[in-house]
């Protein structure tokens, strides 16, 4: 079944004018009486021509919250209770109404998808319990987190208690889970609303030029529904994701902090677009791992039902961004999601007390990320698994079809009068407040045992520091300091604590700086893809201090500079008199020669002299008036070299010595027999390394990364290198 994609056009805001409206909902010519399923928008190059994008449904400016919920989300609830996971996510440019759609306002009619979904879940739970005469019980629990600057933070945790590096994520039996996340049971809608409102106070938001309450993070709410009948337990999860919106920073006037956030948001959305493109092209490698958001969303890899709500602004100022979103959505609707429900499992022993995300299955059973996962998130009993293997028919599941609807779907407004009005307006915390400061000790490093001076030698202190840092970097030992120290029977002095903290800060600083550099680089890449060379060059200049010795980057900048100069020269009027003065930045020139490719989620801005051949569009985007030539697409050779550069910077890290390369080759072979021959690595450690690699589902690309692997540490890497010298 494909991802269901529905578009919603928000109403005009106070400062927007009716005459600037360019986006409209329409019906297909063959079914003029059906509900709209087409978004129509003019071609930016030729206003007489319009592009049409077809989706499962389209909601116009007057659509209510209730209509969107009743038509799109309410039908998924029964599948949730049958064991299917449900993923709902809102996608769109900043200020297009994602948070409004997902969360909504306080008034009953203004409530968004999330509170309405919870309301339906509770109602259905009560009905199931009642109909089964109490044989079945349903428990609802929620976890809620945000992905801010590519770090995961628990929204139930106050910002000052957060670990600067955020929570680690892991692959657990084919699913991506956040380790150490709080899961709160909520027995009623009121409970839920109280928790949800409290948690939203912790979400990073701030005012930008484009949205007074702009979300600076992706927010992920997971609602776990557990149905227990006797020994049988069925668990399914509804995930509601309010993505942060992409931003065109020429329009935001963002300052440095907002720019960094914005770069991180844009990067993750860019990776998402790349994932969607890779999936639609059936490529083997889907770059999920290049951002936490894509890893968590795992679009096309998740099971169950997925609904994407594409939020659109109706006005001209969003023209290119809207086209870009429409192109993205157009590809997303073709992604197939596995129709696999979570099987029930049977309780044989009391549930172990665990935090979510801690894997409950042996390592050997873990599934690495891959384009399509057919695995389940629970451990079925052996008999049940055998039985299912034989008996389970393929589920004929056809809630949605890609065809346009033939009649208006109207469902009773079952929410009227059901909600509990919220009591307090959730206070949004600004993102500045959300930035985790590095001045406080992280959870891992908090003193947990009374200090006891003496006992440790300088060497063992060093070793302990290395171990702690490795654990920290590997983000594997969250909150486990107490246990680790207790089991080691070792106590550390305040002096060691202080050094640990200093070391951790240093590492975090280095990592943050590198991440910031990469963000500039990605922004440069985005600009280049759009043909905005001057802005791209500026971004490369900003990235340069982070990668001062990188030859490729320097060459790239040189080439770009030359290209800009050539362009400027070609634009300069031939005669010295008259002519239009050149603007400082070509990106701000209103260019009537913009090339737009409807098959691309980006726009290229080639020079006016572009003579490259047109490439025909091949998507289900059609024009109402085929009076003009099809839009041209610039064959963007730059984009390839961009990819190469980005890849080399993202993965190369510091220059590799022959010894490092040799070690990495051995490690990446994932061959326990070879790895155990490295100095300081026994059979157990070798196995641990291989498991960590399988869990990562990727290669280790430099020794820094290797040092971060569980159980290796930088000392471990040094030992391996020493071993190689000895061999030589
Ligand atoms: N359907 C709608 N009806 C009324 N107002 C709306 C609607 N959609 C959006 N708005 C208004 O538009 C503004 C921007 O909406 P919102 O904050 O939800 O955007 P967003 O896409 O979440 O932006 P960001 O990505 O920056 O967080 C808000 O003032 C919101 O109330």
């Amino acid at each position: 079944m494909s991802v269901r994609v529905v578009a919603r056009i928000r109403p005009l805001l106070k400062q927007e004018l009716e005459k600037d409206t360019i986006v409209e909902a329409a019906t297909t010519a063959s079914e003029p009486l059906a509900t709209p399923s087409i978004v129509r928008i003019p071609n930016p190059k030729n206003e007489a021509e319009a592009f049409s994008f077809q989706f499962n449904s389209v909601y116009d400016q007057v659509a209510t919250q209730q209509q969107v919920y009743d038509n799109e989300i309410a039908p998924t609830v029964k599948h949730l209770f049958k064991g299917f996971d449900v993923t709902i996510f809102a996608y769109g440019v900043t200020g297009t109404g994602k948070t409004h759609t997902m969360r909504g306002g306080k008034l009953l009619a203004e409530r968004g998808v999330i509170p309405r979904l919870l309301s339906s879940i509770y109602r259905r739970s009560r009905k199931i319990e009642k109909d089964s005469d109490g044989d079945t019980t349903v428990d609802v629990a929620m976890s809620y987190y945000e992905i801010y600057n590519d770090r995961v933070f628990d929204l139930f945790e106050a910002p000052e208690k957060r670990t600067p590096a955020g929570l680690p994520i892991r692959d657990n039996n084919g699913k991506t889970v956040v380790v150490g996340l709080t899961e709160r049971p909520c027995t009623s809608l009121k409970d839920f609303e109280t928790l949800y409102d409290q948690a939203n106070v912790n979400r990073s938001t701030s005012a930008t030029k484009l949205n007074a309450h702009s979300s600076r993070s992706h927010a992920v709410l997971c609602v776990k529904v557990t149905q227990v009948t006797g020994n049988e337990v069925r668990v399914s999860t509804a995930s509601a994701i309010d993505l942060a919106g992409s931003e065109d920073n020429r329009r935001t006037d963002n300052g440095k902090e907002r720019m960094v956030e914005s770069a991180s948001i844009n990067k993750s959305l860019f990776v998402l677009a790349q994932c969607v493109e890779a999936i639609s092209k059936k490529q083997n490698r889907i770059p999920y791992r290049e951002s936490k958001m894509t890893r968590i969303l795992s679009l096309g890899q998740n099971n169950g039902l997925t609904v994407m709500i594409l939020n659109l602004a109706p006005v001209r100022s969003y023209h290119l961004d809207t086209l870009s979103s429409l192109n993205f959505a157009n590809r997303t609707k073709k992604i197939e999601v596995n129709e696999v429900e979570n099987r029930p499992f049977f309780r044989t022993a009391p549930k172990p007390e665990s935090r979510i995300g801690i894997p409950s299955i042996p390592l050997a059973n873990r599934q690495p990320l891959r384009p399509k996962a057919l695995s389940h998130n629970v451990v079925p009993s052996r008999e049940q698994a055998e039985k299912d293997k034989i008996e389970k028919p393929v589920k004929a599941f056809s809630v949605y079809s890609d065809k346009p609807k033939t009649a208006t779907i109207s469902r009773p407004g079952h929410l009227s009068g059901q909600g509990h009005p919220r009591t307090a307006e959730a206070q949004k915390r600004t993102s500045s407040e959300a930035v985790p400061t590095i001045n406080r000790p992280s959870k891992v490093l908090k003193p947990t045992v009374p200090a006891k001076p003496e006992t440790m030698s300088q060497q063992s202190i060093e070793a302990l520091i290395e171990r702690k840092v490795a654990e920290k970097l590997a983000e594997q030992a969250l909150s486990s300091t107490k246990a680790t120290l207790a089991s080691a029977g070792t106590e550390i002095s305040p002096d060691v604590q202080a050094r640990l903290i200093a070391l951790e800060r240093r590492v975090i600083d280095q990592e943050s700086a590198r991440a910031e550099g990469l963000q500039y680089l990605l922004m440069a890449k985005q600009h280049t893809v759009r043909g905005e060379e001057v802005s791209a060059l500026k971004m490369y200049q900003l990235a340069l201090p982070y990668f001062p010795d990188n030859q490729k980057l320097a060459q790239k900048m040189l080439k770009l500079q030359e290209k800009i100069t050539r362009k400027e020269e070609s634009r300069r009027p031939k005669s010295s008199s008259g002519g239009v003065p050149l603007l400082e930045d070509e990106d701000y020139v209103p260019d009537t020669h913009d090339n737009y490719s409807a098959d691309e989620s980006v726009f290229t801005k080639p020079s006016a002299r572009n003579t490259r051949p047109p490439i025909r569009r091949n998507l289900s985007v059609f024009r109402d008036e085929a009076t003009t030539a099809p839009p041209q697409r610039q064959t963007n050779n730059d984009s390839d070299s961009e990819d190469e550069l980005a890849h080399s910077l993202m993965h190369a890290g510091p220059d590799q010595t022959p010894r490092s390369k040799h070690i990495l080759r051995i490690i990446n072979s994932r061959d326990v027999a070879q790895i155990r021959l490295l100095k300081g690595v026994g059979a157990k450690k070798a196995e641990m390394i291989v498991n960590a690699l399988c869990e990562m589902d990727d290669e280790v690309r430099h020794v820094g990364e290797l040092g971060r692997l569980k159980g290796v540490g930088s000392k471990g890497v040094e030992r391996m290198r020493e071993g190689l010298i000895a061999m030589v």
Side-chain angles (χ1 to χ4, degrees), residues 289-498:
R289 287 186 171 274
E290 284 172 22
S291 117
K292 291 223 167 71
M293 183 269 277
T294 49
R295 205 170 154 194
I296 286 168
L297 187 58
S298 294
L299 200 59
Q301 197 213 18
N302 54 336
N303 295 329
L305 288 83
T306 303
V307 181
M308 167 174 148
I309 303 173
L310 169 67
N311 289 95
L312 300 169
V315 286
R316 188 178 299 283
S317 52
Y318 285 77
H319 202 156
L320 292 185
D321 286 325
T322 303
L323 275 166
S324 182
S325 295
L326 286 164
N327 271 311
F328 169 81
N330 206 37
R331 287 201 196 114
T332 307
K333 75 183 186 194
K334 293 173 192 158
I335 294 177
E336 291 289 323
V337 179
N338 293 309
E339 296 161 27
V340 179
E341 82 269 39
N342 299 307
R343 293 178 194 157
F345 64 97
F346 297 88
R347 283 196 296 198
T348 48
K351 266 187 173 175
E353 202 180 292
S354 68
R355 291 196 315 267
I356 32 170
I358 306 268
S360 56
I361 49 159
L363 262 177
N365 290 347
R366 286 195 195 159
Q367 307 280 326
L369 274 179
R370 55 194 177 185
K372 287 240 172 192
L374 294 167
S375 50
H376 306 268
N377 68 344
V378 291
V379 188
S381 70
R382 193 165 289 172
E383 305 88 290
Q384 183 65 20
E386 289 300 319
K387 199 168 145 222
D388 283 353
K389 233 189 257 172
I390 303 159
E391 292 174 8
K392 205 162 179 61
V394 178
K395 195 95 184 167
F397 190 75
S398 57
V399 208
Y400 299 129
S401 96
D402 269 341
K403 289 180 197 153
K405 287 177 186 163
T406 49
T408 310
I409 300 174
S410 76
R411 289 183 175 81
H414 53 256
L415 289 167
S416 326
Q418 289 272 342
H420 299 262
R422 295 176 193 179
T423 47
E425 182 76 30
Q427 299 274 308
K428 285 183 168 190
R429 188 172 43 79
T430 70
S431 58
S432 337
E433 289 161 325
V435 177
T437 60
I438 51 170
N439 295 332
R440 57 178 190 271
S442 74
K443 267 188 190 173
V444 181
L445 302 170
K446 277 181 200 161
T448 51
V449 221
K452 191 177 158 193
E454 69 58 49
T455 67
M456 297 180 74
S457 69
Q458 185 65 26
Q459 214 178 9
S460 53
I461 290 173
E462 291 293 344
L464 185 63
I465 289 172
E466 288 295 340
R467 183 156 60 84
K468 286 287 126 199
V469 173
E471 280 174 358
K472 178 75 193 71
L473 292 176
E475 298 172 335
Q476 302 261 350
L478 199 77
S479 310
S480 64
T481 310
K482 235 183 217 168
T484 313
L485 292 178
S487 68
T490 317
E491 293 175 356
I492 54 175
S493 68
D495 183 37
V496 178
Q497 294 279 357

Side-chain angles (χ1 to χ4, degrees), residues 55 131 208 213 230 233 253 258 270 303 328 345 367 410 550 643:
F55 300 111
D131 292 352
T208 68
H213 296 281
V233 182
D253 280 355
R258 295 289 89 78
F270 182 67
N303 295 329
F328 169 81
F345 64 97
Q367 307 280 326
S410 76
N550 192 289
D643 282 344

Side-chain angles (χ1 to χ4, degrees), residues 8-11 13 61 63 65 92-101 110 203 208 211 213-216 242-247 311 428:
R8 183 180 196 187
I9 306 166
R10 72 152 163 74
L13 301 181
Q61 295 190 30
Q65 298 279 59
V93 181
T94 181
T96 50
K98 297 178 293 298
T99 306
H100 180 87
T101 301
E110 286 301 302
R203 188 169 176 200
T208 68
N211 187 358
H213 296 281
S214 181
S215 309
R216 313 309 294 161
D242 179 10
L243 293 178
S246 57
E247 296 177 344
N311 289 95
K428 285 183 168 190

Side-chain angles (χ1 to χ4, degrees), residues 682-699:
K684 209 165 153 200
K685 195 175 263 185
E687 211 156 294
M688 232 163 121
I689 292 172
V690 172
N691 280 333
L693 288 172
C694 291
E695 202 181 34
M696 265 173 64
D697 192 26
D698 206 351
E699 290 198 334

